[in-house]
Amino acid sequence: MRRIRVMHFGLGPIGAAVVRQIAARKGFRMVGGIDIDPRKAGRDLGEVAGLGARLRAPVWADAATALEAARPDVVVLCTHSSLRRAAPQIAAALAARVPVVATTEELAYAVPQNRTLARRIDTLARRAGVAVLGTGVNPGFVMDALPIVLTAPCEKVHALRVDRVQDARVRRLPFQQKIGAGLSRAEFRRRVRDGSVRHVGLAESIHMIGDALGWKIDRVVDRVRPRVARRRVASRYLSVAPGRVCGIVQDGFGYEAGQVRIRLHLEAYLGATETYDMVRIDGSPPLQVKVIGGTHGDIATAALVVNAIPRVLAAAPGYRTMRDLPLPSFFRAGG
Amino acid sequence: MRRIRVMHFGLGPIGAAVVRQIAARKGFRMVGGIDIDPRKAGRDLGEVAGLGARLRAPVWADAATALEAARPDVVVLCTHSSLRRAAPQIAAALAARVPVVATTEELAYAVPQNRTLARRIDTLARRAGVAVLGTGVNPGFVMDALPIVLTAPCEKVHALRVDRVQDARVRRLPFQQKIGAGLSRAEFRRRVRDGSVRHVGLAESIHMIGDALGWKIDRVVDRVRPRVARRRVASRYLSVAPGRVCGIVQDGFGYEAGQVRIRLHLEAYLGATETYDMVRIDGSPPLQVKVIGGTHGDIATAALVVNAIPRVLAAAPGYRTMRDLPLPSFFRAGG
């Protein structure tokens, strides 16, 4: 089987994790990277991704040059959470007629304010004759695709709730910073306001679930609060004194006609006593499904991206979501 | 939206459960039934299905006559577990160019000895320009589609195990009989040999998982044992004395090159202390997912069928499985 030629656009922690996963799997060939960081461009992809081995594939600063030179079968895009910021990069790949799998949280599903942009991407993708997918562990799986699948055995669904609770001590430092660990309460509030502390994706997951289940979600509330340490709590990287913030509690509510249909509850903080994901379906039959120990965020996001690649290559051209593609699964190349 | 016209082929407990679910849902119109039982043919579908209301839709004894008279958009087939026995009924629907959603366990996935037959159905379906799907709670969901989806966040999968443990006291009498409750050990063995006591579907689930994950399953072992009551145990329908059989324990093993990759473990007996489904993925990350309280068999099988109908109508012509269709979910008709 011909190996799938992959271009890695964005070589931060997740982009680098994708490189390392692909390096360990058959069926792929990494043909290069793209990163605006001047310290990365010009170096070898394996070196930039911390692979401990050279890949004989360069990192370019410019997308068009990279795509022209390396002729990939797919672009893995791990740059921004914001669809507005990722859109020009997606457009660059589509201009070269290359399909895209992105971790762009806002691409996981088009919320109403992003629909115009999503339609533009859909048009470009159809013209290019290739598919574009946004995926990842959350949004993309734990709080949307998985609960959606779990409604398949139901004759009725009244409401749906997902809890994702994580002890952030085992996660990487940027994650611990992203959830505000170590900040004062005032700093936390400021960071929530400027958007640098918050999980992006609850509204996307809510709309994906709503559309799957036939609910007309007319209002989404996304509320962020700090989790404050009662006693000192520490990770490898950070030590948080009592009274300071050790993480985040975030709730997304999806309403249909004044009624909460969907509640997504996220807790990620240093010192959570149990890490788990839980889906509860209020329906017939009722269902309560627990991922004991949770779904590991960093491995899972990179794995969902890699596992989606063959499906995106086979998909009908256009903007696709996890709802459209055949049953997701681990992918192992044959032979 | 135009309602989907449904023909119900087979009006035993599951077929009747599908009628009752569809009666409670929008977007469908039941146009008739087909059943070889002379006590059912000629009566009203609602009456035969125990709906407590007439549907003004007749039950026919003959499939071709029914399909010609009622012109359905889809046939729901709930007759036999055996693909060989269901195949002529599927062929009758395809001869009328009507897509099929079946609970036929052996249609959930084609094991090697059924591949010729499956290919024939595929050819007929393509010629008819419609799709055929086998689904249900098991096979079709709990022991195959669900564990397959749960591998999507994995970068490696070494082995997979599913446990389905059910207290059969809450299930209907035919289910309790199907698992051998009340038999002596000798009777149980005889019924296992003649095929009337056993769960059909472990081999189908094993091959579906194996193909999804890229394992070349070269051997399947399907082992049935009795569960023997240690003390008296009773349901609404049956009372089982100590020393007699209160249910079934069945294990399916899927081997690749001498190594067990897939283990499916089923326990269904009167008096199980906990009812649950558990998926364990030995991989990176490892995953352990528990359906607390289990997935209710009778509701779930009928719901999976009903929820699959719009996907089968939209699917590419041919023989399809749960692996091919877009993300399964509860389906609610708009409007």
Side-chain angles (χ1 to χ4, degrees), chain B residues 216-260:
Chain B
K216 290 176 179 62
I217 299 298
D218 49 30
R219 184 172 164 234
V220 170
V221 172
D222 187 333
R223 188 182 68 194
V224 182
R225 287 170 296 162
R227 171 93 186 193
V228 176
R230 290 205 198 111
R231 63 196 68 143
R232 176 165 296 276
V233 58
S235 71
R236 284 174 58 191
Y237 309 110
L238 292 172
S239 178
V240 176
R244 290 184 75 90
V245 174
C246 59
I248 194 172
V249 178
Q250 190 167 347
D251 284 279
F253 299 88
Y255 291 81
E256 181 184 41
Q259 188 191 352
V260 175

mmCIF file of all heavy atoms in Angstrom, chain B residues 216-260:
data_model
loop_
_atom_site.group_PDB
_atom_site.id
_atom_site.type_symbol
_atom_site.label_atom_id
_atom_site.label_comp_id
_atom_site.label_asym_id
_atom_site.label_seq_id
_atom_site.Cartn_x
_atom_site.Cartn_y
_atom_site.Cartn_z
ATOM 1 N N LYS B 216 -5.932 -9.583 11.566
ATOM 2 C CA LYS B 216 -6.344 -10.695 10.716
ATOM 3 C C LYS B 216 -6.802 -11.838 11.614
ATOM 4 O O LYS B 216 -6.012 -12.698 11.994
ATOM 5 C CB LYS B 216 -5.180 -11.138 9.825
ATOM 6 C CG LYS B 216 -4.851 -10.103 8.761
ATOM 7 C CD LYS B 216 -3.637 -10.476 7.929
ATOM 8 C CE LYS B 216 -3.379 -9.412 6.878
ATOM 9 N NZ LYS B 216 -3.072 -8.067 7.473
ATOM 10 N N ILE B 217 -8.075 -11.845 11.970
ATOM 11 C CA ILE B 217 -8.608 -12.867 12.878
ATOM 12 C C ILE B 217 -8.658 -14.191 12.118
ATOM 13 O O ILE B 217 -9.397 -14.337 11.148
ATOM 14 C CB ILE B 217 -10.005 -12.469 13.388
ATOM 15 C CG1 ILE B 217 -9.935 -11.148 14.165
ATOM 16 C CG2 ILE B 217 -10.623 -13.588 14.236
ATOM 17 C CD1 ILE B 217 -9.070 -11.173 15.400
ATOM 18 N N ASP B 218 -7.824 -15.160 12.569
ATOM 19 C CA ASP B 218 -7.744 -16.423 11.828
ATOM 20 C C ASP B 218 -8.398 -17.578 12.578
ATOM 21 O O ASP B 218 -8.445 -18.702 12.088
ATOM 22 C CB ASP B 218 -6.284 -16.757 11.486
ATOM 23 C CG ASP B 218 -5.374 -16.636 12.693
ATOM 24 O OD1 ASP B 218 -5.861 -16.856 13.834
ATOM 25 O OD2 ASP B 218 -4.192 -16.301 12.515
ATOM 26 N N ARG B 219 -8.918 -17.298 13.781
ATOM 27 C CA ARG B 219 -9.585 -18.359 14.534
ATOM 28 C C ARG B 219 -10.547 -17.720 15.528
ATOM 29 O O ARG B 219 -10.174 -16.752 16.209
ATOM 30 C CB ARG B 219 -8.527 -19.176 15.283
ATOM 31 C CG ARG B 219 -9.101 -20.363 16.022
ATOM 32 C CD ARG B 219 -7.967 -21.244 16.582
ATOM 33 N NE ARG B 219 -8.499 -22.133 17.585
ATOM 34 C CZ ARG B 219 -8.035 -22.260 18.828
ATOM 35 N NH1 ARG B 219 -6.966 -21.583 19.206
ATOM 36 N NH2 ARG B 219 -8.606 -23.081 19.678
ATOM 37 N N VAL B 220 -11.750 -18.269 15.588
ATOM 38 C CA VAL B 220 -12.732 -17.805 16.561
ATOM 39 C C VAL B 220 -13.206 -19.003 17.369
ATOM 40 O O VAL B 220 -13.543 -20.046 16.810
ATOM 41 C CB VAL B 220 -13.937 -17.122 15.872
ATOM 42 C CG1 VAL B 220 -15.062 -16.873 16.863
ATOM 43 C CG2 VAL B 220 -13.506 -15.824 15.205
ATOM 44 N N VAL B 221 -13.185 -18.871 18.677
ATOM 45 C CA VAL B 221 -13.720 -19.910 19.553
ATOM 46 C C VAL B 221 -14.939 -19.327 20.247
ATOM 47 O O VAL B 221 -14.888 -18.194 20.735
ATOM 48 C CB VAL B 221 -12.658 -20.342 20.588
ATOM 49 C CG1 VAL B 221 -13.270 -21.287 21.622
ATOM 50 C CG2 VAL B 221 -11.473 -20.995 19.886
ATOM 51 N N ASP B 222 -16.022 -20.066 20.253
ATOM 52 C CA ASP B 222 -17.276 -19.610 20.858
ATOM 53 C C ASP B 222 -17.726 -20.717 21.805
ATOM 54 O O ASP B 222 -18.127 -21.790 21.371
ATOM 55 C CB ASP B 222 -18.308 -19.357 19.748
ATOM 56 C CG ASP B 222 -19.590 -18.706 20.263
ATOM 57 O OD1 ASP B 222 -19.930 -18.884 21.449
ATOM 58 O OD2 ASP B 222 -20.260 -18.034 19.461
ATOM 59 N N ARG B 223 -17.618 -20.467 23.101
ATOM 60 C CA ARG B 223 -17.796 -21.509 24.112
ATOM 61 C C ARG B 223 -18.988 -21.167 25.007
ATOM 62 O O ARG B 223 -19.051 -20.070 25.560
ATOM 63 C CB ARG B 223 -16.518 -21.557 24.950
ATOM 64 C CG ARG B 223 -16.428 -22.676 25.924
ATOM 65 C CD ARG B 223 -15.132 -22.555 26.708
ATOM 66 N NE ARG B 223 -15.158 -21.397 27.585
ATOM 67 C CZ ARG B 223 -14.091 -20.873 28.185
ATOM 68 N NH1 ARG B 223 -12.894 -21.376 27.992
ATOM 69 N NH2 ARG B 223 -14.204 -19.838 28.982
ATOM 70 N N VAL B 224 -19.889 -22.117 25.151
ATOM 71 C CA VAL B 224 -21.090 -21.900 25.967
ATOM 72 C C VAL B 224 -21.050 -22.814 27.187
ATOM 73 O O VAL B 224 -20.786 -24.009 27.062
ATOM 74 C CB VAL B 224 -22.368 -22.212 25.158
ATOM 75 C CG1 VAL B 224 -23.609 -21.948 25.992
ATOM 76 C CG2 VAL B 224 -22.400 -21.416 23.871
ATOM 77 N N ARG B 225 -21.299 -22.247 28.349
ATOM 78 C CA ARG B 225 -21.410 -23.058 29.569
ATOM 79 C C ARG B 225 -22.687 -22.672 30.305
ATOM 80 O O ARG B 225 -23.175 -21.550 30.165
ATOM 81 C CB ARG B 225 -20.218 -22.772 30.494
ATOM 82 C CG ARG B 225 -18.910 -23.362 30.012
ATOM 83 C CD ARG B 225 -17.761 -22.826 30.852
ATOM 84 N NE ARG B 225 -17.631 -21.387 30.683
ATOM 85 C CZ ARG B 225 -16.967 -20.580 31.519
ATOM 86 N NH1 ARG B 225 -16.403 -21.070 32.620
ATOM 87 N NH2 ARG B 225 -16.874 -19.289 31.289
ATOM 88 N N PRO B 226 -23.203 -23.596 31.118
ATOM 89 C CA PRO B 226 -24.372 -23.225 31.925
ATOM 90 C C PRO B 226 -23.925 -22.473 33.179
ATOM 91 O O PRO B 226 -22.830 -22.693 33.688
ATOM 92 C CB PRO B 226 -24.954 -24.577 32.327
ATOM 93 C CG PRO B 226 -23.754 -25.489 32.389
ATOM 94 C CD PRO B 226 -22.788 -24.992 31.338
ATOM 95 N N ARG B 227 -24.786 -21.594 33.636
ATOM 96 C CA ARG B 227 -24.626 -21.055 34.984
ATOM 97 C C ARG B 227 -25.597 -21.835 35.863
ATOM 98 O O ARG B 227 -26.799 -21.897 35.554
ATOM 99 C CB ARG B 227 -24.952 -19.566 34.981
ATOM 100 C CG ARG B 227 -25.027 -18.937 36.330
ATOM 101 C CD ARG B 227 -23.690 -18.340 36.729
ATOM 102 N NE ARG B 227 -23.742 -17.863 38.099
ATOM 103 C CZ ARG B 227 -22.828 -17.088 38.642
ATOM 104 N NH1 ARG B 227 -21.781 -16.690 37.936
ATOM 105 N NH2 ARG B 227 -22.918 -16.719 39.896
ATOM 106 N N VAL B 228 -25.096 -22.452 36.908
ATOM 107 C CA VAL B 228 -25.930 -23.317 37.738
ATOM 108 C C VAL B 228 -26.311 -22.581 39.020
ATOM 109 O O VAL B 228 -25.462 -21.952 39.659
ATOM 110 C CB VAL B 228 -25.181 -24.634 38.047
ATOM 111 C CG1 VAL B 228 -25.993 -25.513 38.996
ATOM 112 C CG2 VAL B 228 -24.895 -25.385 36.744
ATOM 113 N N ALA B 229 -27.596 -22.649 39.371
ATOM 114 C CA ALA B 229 -28.077 -21.953 40.578
ATOM 115 C C ALA B 229 -27.520 -22.620 41.832
ATOM 116 O O ALA B 229 -27.572 -23.847 41.951
ATOM 117 C CB ALA B 229 -29.599 -21.953 40.606
ATOM 118 N N ARG B 230 -26.984 -21.835 42.729
ATOM 119 C CA ARG B 230 -26.502 -22.395 44.005
ATOM 120 C C ARG B 230 -27.636 -22.430 45.023
ATOM 121 O O ARG B 230 -27.724 -23.296 45.848
ATOM 122 C CB ARG B 230 -25.351 -21.535 44.538
ATOM 123 C CG ARG B 230 -24.130 -21.720 43.666
ATOM 124 C CD ARG B 230 -22.818 -21.426 44.383
ATOM 125 N NE ARG B 230 -21.810 -21.224 43.333
ATOM 126 C CZ ARG B 230 -21.237 -20.061 43.058
ATOM 127 N NH1 ARG B 230 -21.499 -18.996 43.787
ATOM 128 N NH2 ARG B 230 -20.368 -19.961 42.077
ATOM 129 N N ARG B 231 -28.515 -21.420 44.942
ATOM 130 C CA ARG B 231 -29.735 -21.447 45.758
ATOM 131 C C ARG B 231 -30.914 -21.165 44.835
ATOM 132 O O ARG B 231 -30.712 -20.826 43.669
ATOM 133 C CB ARG B 231 -29.658 -20.419 46.880
ATOM 134 C CG ARG B 231 -29.559 -18.981 46.364
ATOM 135 C CD ARG B 231 -29.112 -18.037 47.440
ATOM 136 N NE ARG B 231 -27.735 -18.326 47.799
ATOM 137 C CZ ARG B 231 -26.819 -17.402 48.113
ATOM 138 N NH1 ARG B 231 -27.154 -16.132 48.160
ATOM 139 N NH2 ARG B 231 -25.589 -17.729 48.399
ATOM 140 N N ARG B 232 -32.108 -21.310 45.359
ATOM 141 C CA ARG B 232 -33.283 -21.080 44.515
ATOM 142 C C ARG B 232 -33.321 -19.631 44.042
ATOM 143 O O ARG B 232 -33.059 -18.715 44.815
ATOM 144 C CB ARG B 232 -34.565 -21.427 45.293
ATOM 145 C CG ARG B 232 -35.855 -21.118 44.517
ATOM 146 C CD ARG B 232 -37.079 -21.785 45.139
ATOM 147 N NE ARG B 232 -36.986 -23.237 45.100
ATOM 148 C CZ ARG B 232 -37.329 -23.996 44.061
ATOM 149 N NH1 ARG B 232 -37.788 -23.435 42.956
ATOM 150 N NH2 ARG B 232 -37.210 -25.309 44.122
ATOM 151 N N VAL B 233 -33.617 -19.461 42.759
ATOM 152 C CA VAL B 233 -33.702 -18.113 42.211
ATOM 153 C C VAL B 233 -34.921 -18.066 41.295
ATOM 154 O O VAL B 233 -35.224 -19.042 40.595
ATOM 155 C CB VAL B 233 -32.398 -17.725 41.481
ATOM 156 C CG1 VAL B 233 -32.069 -18.694 40.362
ATOM 157 C CG2 VAL B 233 -32.459 -16.315 40.931
ATOM 158 N N ALA B 234 -35.655 -16.958 41.355
ATOM 159 C CA ALA B 234 -36.928 -16.920 40.639
ATOM 160 C C ALA B 234 -37.122 -15.587 39.941
ATOM 161 O O ALA B 234 -36.650 -14.550 40.395
ATOM 162 C CB ALA B 234 -38.082 -17.159 41.614
ATOM 163 N N SER B 235 -37.803 -15.632 38.816
ATOM 164 C CA SER B 235 -38.276 -14.425 38.140
ATOM 165 C C SER B 235 -39.796 -14.442 38.192
ATOM 166 O O SER B 235 -40.390 -15.328 38.799
ATOM 167 C CB SER B 235 -37.789 -14.416 36.689
ATOM 168 O OG SER B 235 -38.487 -15.408 35.943
ATOM 169 N N ARG B 236 -40.423 -13.447 37.551
ATOM 170 C CA ARG B 236 -41.887 -13.463 37.434
ATOM 171 C C ARG B 236 -42.378 -14.742 36.782
ATOM 172 O O ARG B 236 -43.498 -15.187 37.005
ATOM 173 C CB ARG B 236 -42.361 -12.334 36.519
ATOM 174 C CG ARG B 236 -42.361 -10.971 37.094
ATOM 175 C CD ARG B 236 -42.713 -9.943 36.014
ATOM 176 N NE ARG B 236 -44.008 -10.186 35.396
ATOM 177 C CZ ARG B 236 -44.429 -9.563 34.304
ATOM 178 N NH1 ARG B 236 -43.649 -8.672 33.713
ATOM 179 N NH2 ARG B 236 -45.623 -9.829 33.795
ATOM 180 N N TYR B 237 -41.542 -15.297 35.897
ATOM 181 C CA TYR B 237 -42.001 -16.385 35.031
ATOM 182 C C TYR B 237 -41.521 -17.760 35.482
ATOM 183 O O TYR B 237 -42.169 -18.760 35.223
ATOM 184 C CB TYR B 237 -41.499 -16.169 33.593
ATOM 185 C CG TYR B 237 -41.779 -14.805 33.042
ATOM 186 C CD1 TYR B 237 -40.743 -13.895 32.834
ATOM 187 C CD2 TYR B 237 -43.076 -14.418 32.717
ATOM 188 C CE1 TYR B 237 -40.998 -12.627 32.308
ATOM 189 C CE2 TYR B 237 -43.338 -13.164 32.197
ATOM 190 C CZ TYR B 237 -42.295 -12.272 31.994
ATOM 191 O OH TYR B 237 -42.546 -11.031 31.482
ATOM 192 N N LEU B 238 -40.347 -17.817 36.088
ATOM 193 C CA LEU B 238 -39.664 -19.089 36.308
ATOM 194 C C LEU B 238 -39.101 -19.157 37.716
ATOM 195 O O LEU B 238 -38.661 -18.140 38.252
ATOM 196 C CB LEU B 238 -38.466 -19.203 35.353
ATOM 197 C CG LEU B 238 -38.716 -19.347 33.858
ATOM 198 C CD1 LEU B 238 -37.387 -19.244 33.123
ATOM 199 C CD2 LEU B 238 -39.382 -20.681 33.580
ATOM 200 N N SER B 239 -39.059 -20.376 38.263
ATOM 201 C CA SER B 239 -38.359 -20.580 39.517
ATOM 202 C C SER B 239 -37.346 -21.704 39.288
ATOM 203 O O SER B 239 -37.681 -22.744 38.738
ATOM 204 C CB SER B 239 -39.362 -20.952 40.615
ATOM 205 O OG SER B 239 -38.672 -21.194 41.816
ATOM 206 N N VAL B 240 -36.114 -21.452 39.675
ATOM 207 C CA VAL B 240 -35.046 -22.404 39.389
ATOM 208 C C VAL B 240 -34.500 -22.953 40.708
ATOM 209 O O VAL B 240 -34.079 -22.191 41.582
ATOM 210 C CB VAL B 240 -33.915 -21.719 38.589
ATOM 211 C CG1 VAL B 240 -32.755 -22.672 38.358
ATOM 212 C CG2 VAL B 240 -34.450 -21.199 37.255
ATOM 213 N N ALA B 241 -34.520 -24.295 40.820
ATOM 214 C CA ALA B 241 -34.046 -24.943 42.051
ATOM 215 C C ALA B 241 -32.522 -25.028 42.040
ATOM 216 O O ALA B 241 -31.906 -25.021 40.972
ATOM 217 C CB ALA B 241 -34.646 -26.350 42.139
ATOM 218 N N PRO B 242 -31.911 -25.097 43.223
ATOM 219 C CA PRO B 242 -30.453 -25.252 43.279
ATOM 220 C C PRO B 242 -30.019 -26.464 42.459
ATOM 221 O O PRO B 242 -30.711 -27.490 42.441
ATOM 222 C CB PRO B 242 -30.178 -25.472 44.770
ATOM 223 C CG PRO B 242 -31.375 -24.957 45.489
ATOM 224 C CD PRO B 242 -32.535 -25.082 44.557
ATOM 225 N N GLY B 243 -28.904 -26.330 41.767
ATOM 226 C CA GLY B 243 -28.404 -27.429 40.953
ATOM 227 C C GLY B 243 -28.910 -27.402 39.521
ATOM 228 O O GLY B 243 -28.374 -28.107 38.669
ATOM 229 N N ARG B 244 -29.952 -26.625 39.272
ATOM 230 C CA ARG B 244 -30.434 -26.495 37.893
ATOM 231 C C ARG B 244 -29.856 -25.222 37.260
ATOM 232 O O ARG B 244 -29.288 -24.371 37.928
ATOM 233 C CB ARG B 244 -31.965 -26.500 37.841
ATOM 234 C CG ARG B 244 -32.521 -27.903 38.184
ATOM 235 C CD ARG B 244 -34.018 -27.986 38.044
ATOM 236 N NE ARG B 244 -34.493 -28.029 36.671
ATOM 237 C CZ ARG B 244 -34.675 -29.151 35.972
ATOM 238 N NH1 ARG B 244 -34.373 -30.324 36.493
ATOM 239 N NH2 ARG B 244 -35.143 -29.097 34.744
ATOM 240 N N VAL B 245 -30.041 -25.139 35.952
ATOM 241 C CA VAL B 245 -29.412 -24.040 35.215
ATOM 242 C C VAL B 245 -30.231 -22.757 35.383
ATOM 243 O O VAL B 245 -31.454 -22.776 35.246
ATOM 244 C CB VAL B 245 -29.299 -24.413 33.716
ATOM 245 C CG1 VAL B 245 -28.787 -23.229 32.900
ATOM 246 C CG2 VAL B 245 -28.396 -25.628 33.549
ATOM 247 N N CYS B 246 -29.556 -21.647 35.705
ATOM 248 C CA CYS B 246 -30.266 -20.365 35.805
ATOM 249 C C CYS B 246 -29.874 -19.414 34.682
ATOM 250 O O CYS B 246 -30.375 -18.297 34.611
ATOM 251 C CB CYS B 246 -30.046 -19.729 37.166
ATOM 252 S SG CYS B 246 -28.326 -19.400 37.562
ATOM 253 N N GLY B 247 -28.991 -19.857 33.797
ATOM 254 C CA GLY B 247 -28.636 -18.989 32.677
ATOM 255 C C GLY B 247 -27.378 -19.454 31.973
ATOM 256 O O GLY B 247 -26.927 -20.601 32.137
ATOM 257 N N ILE B 248 -26.802 -18.549 31.226
ATOM 258 C CA ILE B 248 -25.740 -18.897 30.291
ATOM 259 C C ILE B 248 -24.493 -18.059 30.544
ATOM 260 O O ILE B 248 -24.575 -16.905 30.953
ATOM 261 C CB ILE B 248 -26.261 -18.674 28.842
ATOM 262 C CG1 ILE B 248 -25.369 -19.329 27.796
ATOM 263 C CG2 ILE B 248 -26.422 -17.199 28.546
ATOM 264 C CD1 ILE B 248 -25.988 -19.264 26.388
ATOM 265 N N VAL B 249 -23.344 -18.696 30.320
ATOM 266 C CA VAL B 249 -22.072 -17.975 30.291
ATOM 267 C C VAL B 249 -21.434 -18.322 28.953
ATOM 268 O O VAL B 249 -21.241 -19.499 28.653
ATOM 269 C CB VAL B 249 -21.143 -18.399 31.452
ATOM 270 C CG1 VAL B 249 -19.804 -17.662 31.352
ATOM 271 C CG2 VAL B 249 -21.812 -18.132 32.792
ATOM 272 N N GLN B 250 -21.164 -17.328 28.163
ATOM 273 C CA GLN B 250 -20.645 -17.594 26.823
ATOM 274 C C GLN B 250 -19.441 -16.701 26.554
ATOM 275 O O GLN B 250 -19.440 -15.522 26.880
ATOM 276 C CB GLN B 250 -21.755 -17.338 25.790
ATOM 277 C CG GLN B 250 -21.403 -17.808 24.390
ATOM 278 C CD GLN B 250 -22.616 -17.841 23.465
ATOM 279 O OE1 GLN B 250 -23.759 -17.747 23.921
ATOM 280 N NE2 GLN B 250 -22.370 -17.979 22.175
ATOM 281 N N ASP B 251 -18.408 -17.306 25.987
ATOM 282 C CA ASP B 251 -17.186 -16.560 25.689
ATOM 283 C C ASP B 251 -16.821 -16.724 24.234
ATOM 284 O O ASP B 251 -16.815 -17.830 23.705
ATOM 285 C CB ASP B 251 -16.016 -17.085 26.543
ATOM 286 C CG ASP B 251 -16.095 -16.606 27.967
ATOM 287 O OD1 ASP B 251 -15.694 -15.466 28.217
ATOM 288 O OD2 ASP B 251 -16.593 -17.369 28.829
ATOM 289 N N GLY B 252 -16.499 -15.610 23.614
ATOM 290 C CA GLY B 252 -15.969 -15.638 22.259
ATOM 291 C C GLY B 252 -14.540 -15.133 22.290
ATOM 292 O O GLY B 252 -14.243 -14.119 22.933
ATOM 293 N N PHE B 253 -13.667 -15.862 21.616
ATOM 294 C CA PHE B 253 -12.260 -15.462 21.548
ATOM 295 C C PHE B 253 -11.894 -15.278 20.084
ATOM 296 O O PHE B 253 -12.146 -16.157 19.250
ATOM 297 C CB PHE B 253 -11.355 -16.548 22.136
ATOM 298 C CG PHE B 253 -11.618 -16.860 23.585
ATOM 299 C CD1 PHE B 253 -12.564 -17.818 23.940
ATOM 300 C CD2 PHE B 253 -10.930 -16.201 24.587
ATOM 301 C CE1 PHE B 253 -12.818 -18.110 25.270
ATOM 302 C CE2 PHE B 253 -11.176 -16.485 25.923
ATOM 303 C CZ PHE B 253 -12.130 -17.445 26.262
ATOM 304 N N GLY B 254 -11.294 -14.159 19.769
ATOM 305 C CA GLY B 254 -10.804 -13.922 18.414
ATOM 306 C C GLY B 254 -9.286 -13.925 18.437
ATOM 307 O O GLY B 254 -8.676 -13.133 19.153
ATOM 308 N N TYR B 255 -8.709 -14.854 17.666
ATOM 309 C CA TYR B 255 -7.248 -15.012 17.636
ATOM 310 C C TYR B 255 -6.653 -14.407 16.374
ATOM 311 O O TYR B 255 -7.229 -14.521 15.290
ATOM 312 C CB TYR B 255 -6.869 -16.498 17.640
ATOM 313 C CG TYR B 255 -7.153 -17.240 18.918
ATOM 314 C CD1 TYR B 255 -8.434 -17.713 19.195
ATOM 315 C CD2 TYR B 255 -6.138 -17.477 19.844
ATOM 316 C CE1 TYR B 255 -8.693 -18.410 20.366
ATOM 317 C CE2 TYR B 255 -6.390 -18.178 21.020
ATOM 318 C CZ TYR B 255 -7.675 -18.640 21.273
ATOM 319 O OH TYR B 255 -7.922 -19.323 22.434
ATOM 320 N N GLU B 256 -5.489 -13.826 16.531
ATOM 321 C CA GLU B 256 -4.653 -13.470 15.388
ATOM 322 C C GLU B 256 -3.312 -14.153 15.624
ATOM 323 O O GLU B 256 -2.640 -13.865 16.621
ATOM 324 C CB GLU B 256 -4.466 -11.949 15.290
ATOM 325 C CG GLU B 256 -3.620 -11.542 14.082
ATOM 326 C CD GLU B 256 -3.329 -10.032 14.023
ATOM 327 O OE1 GLU B 256 -3.057 -9.437 15.078
ATOM 328 O OE2 GLU B 256 -3.378 -9.471 12.932
ATOM 329 N N ALA B 257 -2.944 -15.059 14.719
ATOM 330 C CA ALA B 257 -1.663 -15.772 14.810
ATOM 331 C C ALA B 257 -1.421 -16.334 16.215
ATOM 332 O O ALA B 257 -0.371 -16.119 16.827
ATOM 333 C CB ALA B 257 -0.518 -14.854 14.384
ATOM 334 N N GLY B 258 -2.427 -17.036 16.749
ATOM 335 C CA GLY B 258 -2.255 -17.724 18.027
ATOM 336 C C GLY B 258 -2.454 -16.861 19.261
ATOM 337 O O GLY B 258 -2.467 -17.368 20.386
ATOM 338 N N GLN B 259 -2.650 -15.564 19.049
ATOM 339 C CA GLN B 259 -2.781 -14.649 20.185
ATOM 340 C C GLN B 259 -4.232 -14.180 20.288
ATOM 341 O O GLN B 259 -4.840 -13.824 19.277
ATOM 342 C CB GLN B 259 -1.858 -13.457 19.917
ATOM 343 C CG GLN B 259 -1.724 -12.498 21.079
ATOM 344 C CD GLN B 259 -1.025 -11.198 20.664
ATOM 345 O OE1 GLN B 259 -0.514 -11.084 19.537
ATOM 346 N NE2 GLN B 259 -1.014 -10.233 21.560
ATOM 347 N N VAL B 260 -4.787 -14.172 21.508
ATOM 348 C CA VAL B 260 -6.153 -13.674 21.684
ATOM 349 C C VAL B 260 -6.127 -12.152 21.589
ATOM 350 O O VAL B 260 -5.534 -11.479 22.431
ATOM 351 C CB VAL B 260 -6.755 -14.098 23.039
ATOM 352 C CG1 VAL B 260 -8.128 -13.442 23.233
ATOM 353 C CG2 VAL B 260 -6.900 -15.606 23.118
#
